[in-house]
Amino acid sequence: MIGDDVKPATYREVFAVGAFRVLFGSYVLLLIGDTVRMLALAVLVYERTGSPALSALAFVAGFVPQAFGGALLLSLTDRLPVRTAMAGYDVVRCALALVLAADVLPVWAVLSLLASVGLVSPVAGAARQRTLPELLHGDAYVLGRSVFGMTAGAMQVLGYAVGGLLLALVGSSGALLFAAGTALASAAVLRLGLPAAARTERPAAARAEGTVRATRRVNRELLGDRAVRGLLLAQWIPANLAVAAEGVIVPYTPDHAGVLYGSAAAGMLLGNLLVGRFVRPAARERLALWLALQLGVPLVFFAAGPPLWTTAGLFVLSGAGLSYQLGLQRRFLEAVPEAATGQAMGLAMTGTMTLQGVTMAGAGALAGVLAPGHVIALVGLASIVGTLAVHRVLRPPADGRSAPGVLAVPTLSVEAAESAESAGSVVPPGQAAVPTVPVLGVEPTRAD
Protein backbone atom coordinates (compact mmCIF):
# COMPACT_ATOMS: atom_id res chain seq x y z
CA MET A 1 0.00 0.00 0.00
CA ILE A 2 1.24 3.50 -0.85
CA GLY A 3 1.12 5.81 2.16
CA ASP A 4 0.33 9.50 2.03
CA ASP A 5 3.83 10.19 3.38
CA VAL A 6 5.48 8.82 0.23
CA LYS A 7 6.81 11.78 -1.71
CA PRO A 8 6.75 11.97 -5.51
CA ALA A 9 9.97 11.24 -7.36
CA THR A 10 11.92 14.11 -8.89
CA TYR A 11 13.21 14.70 -12.39
CA ARG A 12 16.71 14.82 -10.93
CA GLU A 13 16.32 11.23 -9.71
CA VAL A 14 14.94 10.03 -13.02
CA PHE A 15 17.55 11.69 -15.21
CA ALA A 16 20.34 10.57 -12.88
CA VAL A 17 19.95 7.12 -14.43
CA GLY A 18 22.31 7.03 -17.39
CA ALA A 19 20.37 4.41 -19.35
CA PHE A 20 17.17 6.46 -18.99
CA ARG A 21 18.95 9.45 -20.51
CA VAL A 22 19.95 7.25 -23.44
CA LEU A 23 16.38 6.04 -23.92
CA PHE A 24 15.09 9.59 -23.67
CA GLY A 25 17.57 10.90 -26.23
CA SER A 26 16.79 8.16 -28.72
CA TYR A 27 13.05 8.73 -28.19
CA VAL A 28 13.40 12.43 -28.99
CA LEU A 29 15.26 11.58 -32.20
CA LEU A 30 12.64 8.97 -33.12
CA LEU A 31 9.70 11.35 -32.63
CA ILE A 32 11.23 14.23 -34.56
CA GLY A 33 12.42 11.97 -37.37
CA ASP A 34 9.14 10.11 -37.79
CA THR A 35 7.09 13.32 -37.72
CA VAL A 36 9.31 14.91 -40.38
CA ARG A 37 9.17 11.69 -42.46
CA MET A 38 5.37 11.48 -42.41
CA LEU A 39 4.96 15.14 -43.30
CA ALA A 40 7.55 15.02 -46.10
CA LEU A 41 6.12 11.82 -47.55
CA ALA A 42 2.60 13.23 -47.60
CA VAL A 43 3.90 16.25 -49.53
CA LEU A 44 5.95 14.05 -51.88
CA VAL A 45 2.96 11.85 -52.74
CA TYR A 46 0.76 14.88 -53.29
CA GLU A 47 3.36 16.43 -55.60
CA ARG A 48 3.50 13.22 -57.64
CA THR A 49 -0.21 12.39 -57.79
CA GLY A 50 -2.14 15.58 -57.02
CA SER A 51 -4.46 13.40 -54.93
CA PRO A 52 -5.36 14.62 -51.41
CA ALA A 53 -6.69 11.14 -50.59
CA LEU A 54 -3.42 9.40 -51.47
CA SER A 55 -1.46 12.08 -49.63
CA ALA A 56 -3.52 11.52 -46.48
CA LEU A 57 -3.17 7.75 -46.89
CA ALA A 58 0.61 8.08 -47.13
CA PHE A 59 0.56 10.11 -43.91
CA VAL A 60 -1.22 7.38 -41.89
CA ALA A 61 -0.29 4.21 -43.81
CA GLY A 62 1.98 3.01 -41.03
CA PHE A 63 -0.74 3.27 -38.36
CA VAL A 64 -3.34 0.76 -39.55
CA PRO A 65 -0.99 -2.29 -39.57
CA GLN A 66 -0.13 -1.63 -35.93
CA ALA A 67 -3.35 -3.34 -34.88
CA PHE A 68 -2.24 -6.49 -36.71
CA GLY A 69 1.28 -6.24 -35.31
CA GLY A 70 -0.15 -6.00 -31.82
CA ALA A 71 -2.32 -9.05 -32.39
CA LEU A 72 0.36 -11.23 -33.98
CA LEU A 73 3.88 -10.16 -33.02
CA LEU A 74 3.90 -8.68 -29.52
CA SER A 75 5.45 -11.75 -27.89
CA LEU A 76 8.71 -10.70 -29.57
CA THR A 77 8.89 -7.87 -27.05
CA ASP A 78 9.65 -10.32 -24.25
CA ARG A 79 11.72 -12.69 -26.42
CA LEU A 80 14.17 -10.38 -28.14
CA PRO A 81 17.01 -8.51 -26.44
CA VAL A 82 16.26 -4.85 -26.01
CA ARG A 83 19.37 -2.95 -27.10
CA THR A 84 20.09 -4.62 -30.42
CA ALA A 85 16.37 -4.82 -31.17
CA MET A 86 15.71 -1.10 -30.70
CA ALA A 87 18.83 -0.13 -32.62
CA GLY A 88 17.89 -2.61 -35.35
CA TYR A 89 14.46 -1.03 -35.76
CA ASP A 90 16.08 2.38 -36.08
CA VAL A 91 18.29 1.02 -38.86
CA VAL A 92 15.14 -0.22 -40.63
CA ARG A 93 13.59 3.24 -40.29
CA CYS A 94 16.75 4.78 -41.71
CA ALA A 95 16.63 2.47 -44.73
CA LEU A 96 12.94 3.26 -45.23
CA ALA A 97 13.56 7.01 -45.26
CA LEU A 98 16.48 6.63 -47.70
CA VAL A 99 14.37 4.59 -50.12
CA LEU A 100 11.54 7.11 -49.91
CA ALA A 101 13.97 10.00 -50.47
CA ALA A 102 15.16 8.35 -53.68
CA ASP A 103 11.60 8.70 -55.02
CA VAL A 104 11.88 5.68 -57.32
CA LEU A 105 8.96 3.54 -56.11
CA PRO A 106 5.38 3.72 -57.35
CA VAL A 107 2.83 4.91 -54.81
CA TRP A 108 1.43 1.42 -54.16
CA ALA A 109 4.92 0.17 -53.32
CA VAL A 110 5.52 3.13 -51.00
CA LEU A 111 2.29 2.37 -49.12
CA SER A 112 3.17 -1.33 -48.90
CA LEU A 113 6.62 -0.52 -47.53
CA LEU A 114 5.16 1.81 -44.92
CA ALA A 115 2.66 -0.84 -43.89
CA SER A 116 5.40 -3.45 -43.51
CA VAL A 117 7.42 -1.25 -41.19
CA GLY A 118 4.27 -0.27 -39.29
CA LEU A 119 3.58 -3.94 -38.62
CA VAL A 120 6.59 -4.22 -36.29
CA SER A 121 6.14 -0.79 -34.73
CA PRO A 122 4.13 -2.10 -31.72
CA VAL A 123 6.96 -4.47 -30.86
CA ALA A 124 9.34 -1.53 -30.97
CA GLY A 125 7.24 0.76 -28.81
CA ALA A 126 6.52 -1.98 -26.28
CA ALA A 127 10.21 -2.77 -25.92
CA ARG A 128 10.98 0.81 -25.00
CA GLN A 129 8.17 0.81 -22.43
CA ARG A 130 9.34 -2.54 -21.11
CA THR A 131 12.73 -1.15 -20.18
CA LEU A 132 11.38 1.65 -17.98
CA PRO A 133 10.36 -0.49 -14.96
CA GLU A 134 13.71 -2.27 -15.25
CA LEU A 135 15.51 1.06 -14.83
CA LEU A 136 13.16 3.07 -12.61
CA HIS A 137 11.37 1.70 -9.58
CA GLY A 138 8.50 2.94 -7.45
CA ASP A 139 7.31 6.45 -8.20
CA ALA A 140 10.35 7.12 -10.37
CA TYR A 141 8.81 4.72 -12.92
CA VAL A 142 5.55 6.69 -13.00
CA LEU A 143 7.43 9.97 -13.41
CA GLY A 144 9.50 8.40 -16.19
CA ARG A 145 6.28 7.47 -18.01
CA SER A 146 5.12 11.04 -17.51
CA VAL A 147 8.34 12.36 -19.06
CA PHE A 148 7.81 10.19 -22.13
CA GLY A 149 4.20 11.33 -22.40
CA MET A 150 5.15 15.00 -22.27
CA THR A 151 7.98 14.44 -24.73
CA ALA A 152 5.66 12.78 -27.25
CA GLY A 153 3.45 15.85 -27.52
CA ALA A 154 6.27 18.40 -27.47
CA MET A 155 8.47 16.63 -30.02
CA GLN A 156 5.61 16.12 -32.46
CA VAL A 157 4.97 19.86 -32.43
CA LEU A 158 8.70 20.49 -32.88
CA GLY A 159 8.82 17.84 -35.62
CA TYR A 160 6.11 19.59 -37.62
CA ALA A 161 7.96 22.90 -37.26
CA VAL A 162 11.26 21.35 -38.36
CA GLY A 163 9.54 19.49 -41.17
CA GLY A 164 7.89 22.64 -42.48
CA LEU A 165 11.21 24.48 -42.44
CA LEU A 166 13.00 21.63 -44.23
CA LEU A 167 10.29 21.40 -46.88
CA ALA A 168 10.72 25.10 -47.59
CA LEU A 169 14.52 24.89 -47.71
CA VAL A 170 15.41 21.52 -49.24
CA GLY A 171 12.12 19.98 -50.40
CA SER A 172 10.52 16.65 -49.53
CA SER A 173 13.49 14.49 -50.53
CA GLY A 174 15.85 16.56 -48.40
CA ALA A 175 13.47 16.32 -45.44
CA LEU A 176 13.38 12.54 -45.85
CA LEU A 177 17.18 12.45 -45.78
CA PHE A 178 17.03 14.38 -42.51
CA ALA A 179 14.61 11.74 -41.17
CA ALA A 180 17.05 9.02 -42.20
CA GLY A 181 19.82 10.82 -40.34
CA THR A 182 17.81 11.03 -37.12
CA ALA A 183 17.02 7.30 -37.31
CA LEU A 184 20.69 6.46 -37.76
CA ALA A 185 21.64 8.79 -34.90
CA SER A 186 19.06 7.11 -32.66
CA ALA A 187 20.50 3.68 -33.49
CA ALA A 188 23.99 4.91 -32.62
CA VAL A 189 22.82 6.42 -29.32
CA LEU A 190 21.16 3.14 -28.32
CA ARG A 191 24.00 0.92 -29.46
CA LEU A 192 26.75 2.97 -27.81
CA GLY A 193 24.84 4.21 -24.77
CA LEU A 194 23.04 1.15 -23.45
CA PRO A 195 24.90 -1.64 -21.64
CA ALA A 196 24.66 -5.15 -22.98
CA ALA A 197 23.02 -7.68 -20.68
CA ALA A 198 23.92 -11.32 -20.51
CA ARG A 199 21.47 -13.79 -22.01
CA THR A 200 20.24 -17.01 -20.50
CA GLU A 201 18.64 -19.93 -22.25
CA ARG A 202 14.87 -19.81 -22.62
CA PRO A 203 12.84 -22.82 -21.51
CA ALA A 204 12.16 -25.44 -24.19
CA ALA A 205 8.43 -24.71 -24.10
CA ALA A 206 9.04 -21.06 -24.87
CA ARG A 207 11.46 -21.90 -27.67
CA ALA A 208 9.05 -24.35 -29.29
CA GLU A 209 6.07 -21.99 -29.36
CA GLY A 210 5.88 -19.79 -32.44
CA THR A 211 5.73 -16.00 -32.22
CA VAL A 212 2.17 -15.64 -33.53
CA ARG A 213 0.83 -18.46 -31.36
CA ALA A 214 2.59 -17.11 -28.27
CA THR A 215 1.30 -13.60 -28.94
CA ARG A 216 -2.29 -14.75 -29.31
CA ARG A 217 -2.10 -17.00 -26.26
CA VAL A 218 -0.62 -14.38 -23.95
CA ASN A 219 -3.02 -11.70 -25.25
CA ARG A 220 -5.92 -14.03 -24.42
CA GLU A 221 -4.52 -14.68 -20.96
CA LEU A 222 -3.92 -11.01 -20.29
CA LEU A 223 -7.45 -10.11 -21.37
CA GLY A 224 -8.81 -13.06 -19.44
CA ASP A 225 -7.28 -11.85 -16.19
CA ARG A 226 -9.85 -9.69 -14.41
CA ALA A 227 -7.38 -7.24 -12.88
CA VAL A 228 -5.39 -6.73 -16.09
CA ARG A 229 -8.50 -6.48 -18.26
CA GLY A 230 -10.05 -3.89 -15.96
CA LEU A 231 -6.93 -1.73 -15.95
CA LEU A 232 -6.63 -1.96 -19.74
CA LEU A 233 -10.25 -0.86 -20.17
CA ALA A 234 -9.69 1.96 -17.69
CA GLN A 235 -6.75 3.19 -19.77
CA TRP A 236 -8.59 2.81 -23.07
CA ILE A 237 -12.19 3.93 -22.61
CA PRO A 238 -12.17 7.43 -21.05
CA ALA A 239 -9.12 8.65 -22.98
CA ASN A 240 -9.97 7.35 -26.44
CA LEU A 241 -13.57 8.53 -26.32
CA ALA A 242 -12.45 12.04 -25.38
CA VAL A 243 -9.57 12.16 -27.88
CA ALA A 244 -12.12 11.51 -30.66
CA ALA A 245 -13.01 15.20 -30.37
CA GLU A 246 -9.73 16.04 -32.11
CA GLY A 247 -11.07 14.32 -35.22
CA VAL A 248 -13.71 17.06 -35.53
CA ILE A 249 -11.53 20.11 -34.84
CA VAL A 250 -10.95 20.96 -38.51
CA PRO A 251 -14.64 21.03 -39.50
CA TYR A 252 -15.43 22.83 -36.23
CA THR A 253 -13.05 25.72 -36.92
CA PRO A 254 -11.06 25.33 -40.17
CA ASP A 255 -9.28 28.67 -39.75
CA HIS A 256 -8.19 28.12 -36.16
CA ALA A 257 -7.71 24.35 -35.99
CA GLY A 258 -4.04 24.79 -35.06
CA VAL A 259 -5.01 26.77 -31.96
CA LEU A 260 -7.23 23.97 -30.67
CA TYR A 261 -4.76 21.20 -31.52
CA GLY A 262 -2.07 23.15 -29.70
CA SER A 263 -4.38 23.71 -26.74
CA ALA A 264 -5.06 19.97 -26.40
CA ALA A 265 -1.32 19.25 -26.54
CA ALA A 266 -0.59 22.00 -24.01
CA GLY A 267 -3.19 20.53 -21.65
CA MET A 268 -1.60 17.10 -21.89
CA LEU A 269 1.84 18.55 -21.13
CA LEU A 270 0.53 20.60 -18.21
CA GLY A 271 -1.40 17.70 -16.70
CA ASN A 272 1.54 15.31 -16.91
CA LEU A 273 3.85 17.92 -15.39
CA LEU A 274 1.63 18.87 -12.46
CA VAL A 275 0.25 15.43 -11.62
CA GLY A 276 3.44 13.52 -12.34
CA ARG A 277 5.80 15.79 -10.46
CA PHE A 278 3.87 17.56 -7.73
CA VAL A 279 1.13 15.15 -6.62
CA ARG A 280 2.03 12.44 -4.10
CA PRO A 281 1.68 8.87 -5.41
CA ALA A 282 -1.25 7.95 -3.15
CA ALA A 283 -3.14 11.13 -4.00
CA ARG A 284 -2.41 10.60 -7.70
CA GLU A 285 -4.13 7.23 -7.59
CA ARG A 286 -7.12 8.64 -5.68
CA LEU A 287 -7.46 11.45 -8.24
CA ALA A 288 -7.57 9.08 -11.23
CA LEU A 289 -11.39 8.96 -11.38
CA TRP A 290 -11.80 12.73 -11.14
CA LEU A 291 -9.10 13.43 -13.69
CA ALA A 292 -10.72 10.93 -16.06
CA LEU A 293 -14.04 12.77 -15.68
CA GLN A 294 -12.16 15.98 -16.50
CA LEU A 295 -11.52 14.60 -19.96
CA GLY A 296 -15.18 14.73 -20.95
CA VAL A 297 -16.81 17.44 -18.84
CA PRO A 298 -15.19 20.46 -20.61
CA LEU A 299 -16.14 19.07 -24.02
CA VAL A 300 -19.86 19.06 -23.18
CA PHE A 301 -19.80 22.88 -23.18
CA PHE A 302 -19.09 22.89 -26.92
CA ALA A 303 -22.84 22.37 -27.42
CA ALA A 304 -23.28 26.04 -26.47
CA GLY A 305 -20.93 27.26 -29.24
CA PRO A 306 -18.42 29.17 -27.05
CA PRO A 307 -15.97 31.69 -28.55
CA LEU A 308 -12.53 30.62 -29.78
CA TRP A 309 -10.45 31.33 -26.69
CA THR A 310 -13.02 29.71 -24.45
CA THR A 311 -12.88 26.57 -26.59
CA ALA A 312 -9.08 26.66 -26.39
CA GLY A 313 -9.31 26.76 -22.59
CA LEU A 314 -11.78 23.86 -22.62
CA PHE A 315 -9.34 21.77 -24.68
CA VAL A 316 -6.53 22.60 -22.24
CA LEU A 317 -8.68 21.36 -19.33
CA SER A 318 -9.70 18.23 -21.21
CA GLY A 319 -6.13 17.45 -22.31
CA ALA A 320 -4.88 17.81 -18.74
CA GLY A 321 -7.30 15.06 -17.74
CA LEU A 322 -5.19 12.53 -19.64
CA SER A 323 -2.88 12.57 -16.64
CA TYR A 324 -5.37 10.23 -14.93
CA GLN A 325 -3.46 7.38 -16.55
CA LEU A 326 -0.47 8.12 -14.31
CA GLY A 327 -2.58 6.96 -11.38
CA LEU A 328 -2.99 3.54 -13.01
CA GLN A 329 0.61 2.80 -13.99
CA ARG A 330 1.84 1.30 -10.72
CA ARG A 331 -1.21 -0.93 -10.39
CA PHE A 332 -0.95 -2.09 -14.01
CA LEU A 333 2.72 -2.98 -13.61
CA GLU A 334 1.89 -4.99 -10.47
CA ALA A 335 -1.02 -6.79 -12.12
CA VAL A 336 0.83 -8.22 -15.13
CA PRO A 337 3.17 -11.21 -14.87
CA GLU A 338 6.83 -10.25 -15.09
CA ALA A 339 7.50 -12.55 -18.05
CA ALA A 340 4.83 -10.75 -20.11
CA THR A 341 5.52 -7.16 -19.06
CA GLY A 342 6.57 -6.04 -22.52
CA GLN A 343 3.63 -7.70 -24.25
CA ALA A 344 1.17 -6.24 -21.73
CA MET A 345 2.48 -2.74 -22.36
CA GLY A 346 2.39 -3.35 -26.09
CA LEU A 347 -1.21 -4.53 -25.83
CA ALA A 348 -2.16 -1.36 -23.96
CA MET A 349 -0.43 0.78 -26.58
CA THR A 350 -1.91 -1.11 -29.55
CA GLY A 351 -5.40 -0.90 -28.08
CA THR A 352 -4.98 2.84 -27.66
CA MET A 353 -3.84 3.35 -31.26
CA THR A 354 -6.65 1.19 -32.64
CA LEU A 355 -9.41 2.77 -30.56
CA GLN A 356 -8.20 6.27 -31.36
CA GLY A 357 -8.55 5.52 -35.05
CA VAL A 358 -12.01 4.00 -34.61
CA THR A 359 -13.38 6.77 -32.38
CA MET A 360 -11.94 9.58 -34.50
CA ALA A 361 -13.38 8.02 -37.65
CA GLY A 362 -16.73 7.63 -35.91
CA ALA A 363 -16.72 11.25 -34.75
CA GLY A 364 -15.83 12.41 -38.25
CA ALA A 365 -18.68 10.40 -39.76
CA LEU A 366 -21.11 11.81 -37.18
CA ALA A 367 -19.98 15.33 -38.09
CA GLY A 368 -21.42 14.67 -41.53
CA VAL A 369 -24.95 14.71 -40.11
CA LEU A 370 -24.60 16.86 -36.96
CA ALA A 371 -22.97 20.19 -36.23
CA PRO A 372 -19.29 19.65 -35.27
CA GLY A 373 -19.78 21.42 -31.94
CA HIS A 374 -22.60 19.05 -31.05
CA VAL A 375 -20.44 16.08 -32.01
CA ILE A 376 -17.67 17.27 -29.67
CA ALA A 377 -20.25 17.64 -26.89
CA LEU A 378 -21.53 14.11 -27.53
CA VAL A 379 -17.96 12.80 -27.47
CA GLY A 380 -17.47 14.45 -24.10
CA LEU A 381 -20.69 12.91 -22.81
CA ALA A 382 -19.60 9.50 -24.08
CA SER A 383 -16.29 9.86 -22.24
CA ILE A 384 -18.12 10.71 -19.01
CA VAL A 385 -20.38 7.66 -19.38
CA GLY A 386 -17.37 5.48 -20.20
CA THR A 387 -15.50 6.78 -17.16
CA LEU A 388 -18.44 6.00 -14.89
CA ALA A 389 -18.64 2.50 -16.40
CA VAL A 390 -15.08 1.76 -15.21
CA HIS A 391 -15.21 3.85 -12.02
CA ARG A 392 -14.56 0.84 -9.80
CA VAL A 393 -11.22 0.25 -11.51
CA LEU A 394 -10.30 3.93 -11.47
CA ARG A 395 -10.69 3.97 -7.69
CA PRO A 396 -7.66 2.35 -6.04
CA PRO A 397 -8.41 -0.71 -3.86
CA ALA A 398 -8.48 -0.17 -0.12
CA ASP A 399 -5.14 -1.96 0.27
CA GLY A 400 -3.60 0.17 -2.48
CA ARG A 401 -2.71 -2.82 -4.66
CA SER A 402 -4.04 -4.60 -7.69
CA ALA A 403 -4.28 -8.34 -7.40
CA PRO A 404 -1.50 -9.60 -9.65
CA GLY A 405 -2.65 -11.75 -12.50
CA VAL A 406 -1.53 -15.36 -12.38
CA LEU A 407 -0.96 -16.29 -15.99
CA ALA A 408 0.60 -19.36 -17.50
CA VAL A 409 3.34 -17.41 -19.21
CA PRO A 410 6.64 -19.24 -19.52
CA THR A 411 9.75 -17.22 -18.89
CA LEU A 412 10.67 -16.15 -22.37
CA SER A 413 13.91 -14.30 -21.84
CA VAL A 414 15.60 -13.81 -18.51
CA GLU A 415 18.84 -11.94 -18.63
CA ALA A 416 21.29 -12.01 -15.75
CA ALA A 417 20.84 -8.53 -14.32
CA GLU A 418 23.67 -6.51 -13.01
CA SER A 419 23.24 -5.16 -9.50
CA ALA A 420 20.83 -2.25 -9.05
CA GLU A 421 23.63 0.03 -7.99
CA SER A 422 25.85 -0.69 -10.97
CA ALA A 423 22.88 -0.22 -13.29
CA GLY A 424 22.14 3.11 -11.73
CA SER A 425 18.46 2.28 -11.28
CA VAL A 426 16.32 4.37 -8.99
CA VAL A 427 15.03 2.59 -5.88
CA PRO A 428 12.72 4.50 -3.53
CA PRO A 429 14.26 5.21 -0.11
CA GLY A 430 13.48 2.55 2.42
CA GLN A 431 12.83 -0.18 -0.13
CA ALA A 432 15.02 -3.07 -1.06
CA ALA A 433 16.38 -3.03 -4.57
CA VAL A 434 14.00 -4.78 -6.90
CA PRO A 435 15.77 -7.33 -9.09
CA THR A 436 16.02 -5.78 -12.51
CA VAL A 437 15.30 -8.52 -14.99
CA PRO A 438 17.30 -7.23 -17.91
CA VAL A 439 19.08 -4.08 -16.84
CA LEU A 440 18.38 -2.89 -20.31
CA GLY A 441 20.15 -4.38 -23.03
CA VAL A 442 18.92 -7.76 -23.83
CA GLU A 443 21.21 -8.52 -26.61
CA PRO A 444 19.78 -9.88 -29.83
CA THR A 445 17.28 -7.50 -31.77
CA ARG A 446 14.34 -5.30 -31.21
CA ALA A 447 12.86 -2.00 -32.04
CA ASP A 448 11.78 1.55 -31.30
Side-chain angles (χ1 to χ4, degrees):
M1 178 174 180
I2 296 181
D4 287 324
D5 58 338
V6 177
K7 295 181 179 180
T10 66
Y11 293 116
R12 181 187 297 273
E13 293 171 351
V14 170
F15 280 97
V17 180
F20 179 83
R21 295 196 300 271
V22 172
L23 276 185
F24 177 78
S26 69
Y27 189 53
V28 168
L29 290 168
L30 178 144
L31 290 171
I32 293 177
D34 273 6
T35 303
V36 169
R37 188 200 71 207
M38 290 189 298
L39 181 61
L41 182 60
V43 171
L44 183 64
V45 170
Y46 184 75
E47 289 174 344
R48 288 178 55 184
T49 66
S51 169
L54 285 175
S55 176
L57 186 58
F59 189 83
V60 301
F63 293 161
V64 177
Q66 291 187 23
F68 296 97
L72 301 175
L73 302 176
L74 273 180
S75 66
L76 291 173
T77 302
D78 294 299
R79 293 183 172 210
L80 297 177
V82 175
R83 186 186 70 175
T84 306
M86 289 194 293
Y89 178 65
D90 282 336
V91 170
V92 170
R93 292 193 305 113
C94 176
L96 170 67
L98 289 174
V99 171
L100 296 176
D103 194 16
V104 294
L105 297 178
V107 173
W108 67 265
V110 168
L111 297 178
S112 299
L113 190 59
L114 288 171
S116 299
V117 175
L119 193 65
V120 299
S121 179
V123 182
R128 188 178 298 275
Q129 296 298 330
R130 166 195 162 192
T131 62
L132 288 180
E134 296 165 3
L135 295 171
L136 307 174
H137 305 303
D139 196 52
Y141 164 69
V142 178
L143 187 59
R145 288 292 301 263
S146 171
V147 168
F148 272 60
M150 291 189 293
T151 303
M155 290 304 106
Q156 285 179 15
V157 173
L158 179 60
Y160 285 124
V162 172
L165 180 62
L166 287 170
L167 287 171
L169 295 177
V170 295
S172 52
S173 291
L176 287 167
L177 290 175
F178 172 85
T182 61
L184 191 60
S186 178
V189 167
L190 290 167
R191 185 64 187 175
L192 299 176
L194 294 183
R199 298 183 63 202
T200 58
E201 193 70 12
R202 289 186 286 124
R207 294 197 305 269
E209 191 173 25
T211 297
V212 173
R213 179 177 296 180
T215 299
R216 295 176 62 183
R217 175 181 59 78
V218 176
N219 280 348
R220 284 196 304 269
E221 291 173 342
L222 288 169
L223 293 171
D225 182 276
R226 183 178 179 182
V228 175
R229 182 176 66 249
L231 288 165
L232 284 171
L233 291 174
Q235 292 178 73
W236 289 338
I237 293 175
N240 290 304
L241 287 173
V243 168
E246 296 185 20
V248 195
I249 285 179
V250 171
Y252 178 77
T253 174
D255 295 333
H256 302 99
V259 174
L260 298 192
Y261 280 124
S263 298
M268 182 183 71
L269 291 172
L270 183 64
N272 273 273
L273 174 63
L274 295 179
V275 176
R277 175 62 187 89
F278 298 107
V279 177
R280 290 176 181 268
R284 189 188 299 138
E285 296 189 2
R286 290 196 298 267
L287 285 173
L289 172 61
W290 305 107
L291 289 169
L293 286 171
Q294 184 178 318
L295 281 166
V297 170
L299 301 180
V300 174
F301 290 95
F302 275 77
L308 174 64
W309 295 109
T310 301
T311 61
L314 292 173
F315 264 112
V316 169
L317 288 173
S318 178
L322 283 169
S323 59
Y324 85 93
Q325 294 187 334
L326 296 178
L328 303 176
Q329 296 307 315
R330 179 194 65 85
R331 293 166 55 200
F332 184 62
L333 187 61
E334 281 186 352
V336 301
E338 185 176 341
T341 299
Q343 183 162 342
M345 292 182 173
L347 181 61
M349 182 176 59
T350 301
T352 294
M353 296 291 294
T354 303
L355 288 174
Q356 276 186 10
V358 170
T359 57
M360 283 187 177
L366 196 57
V369 295
L370 296 176
H374 291 164
V375 173
I376 293 176
L378 286 175
V379 162
L381 184 61
S383 180
I384 294 171
V385 172
T387 298
L388 295 176
V390 294
H391 76 279
R392 292 183 183 275
V393 183
L394 289 169
R395 292 183 182 275
D399 63 357
R401 296 176 63 86
S402 296
V406 181
L407 308 185
V409 183
T411 303
L412 299 178
S413 174
V414 181
E415 292 87 81
E418 301 164 9
S419 70
E421 289 187 30
S422 63
S425 54
V426 175
V427 182
Q431 290 187 17
V434 178
T436 60
V437 191
V439 175
L440 179 38
V442 186
E443 209 155 285
T445 35
R446 226 246 86 167
D448 203 279

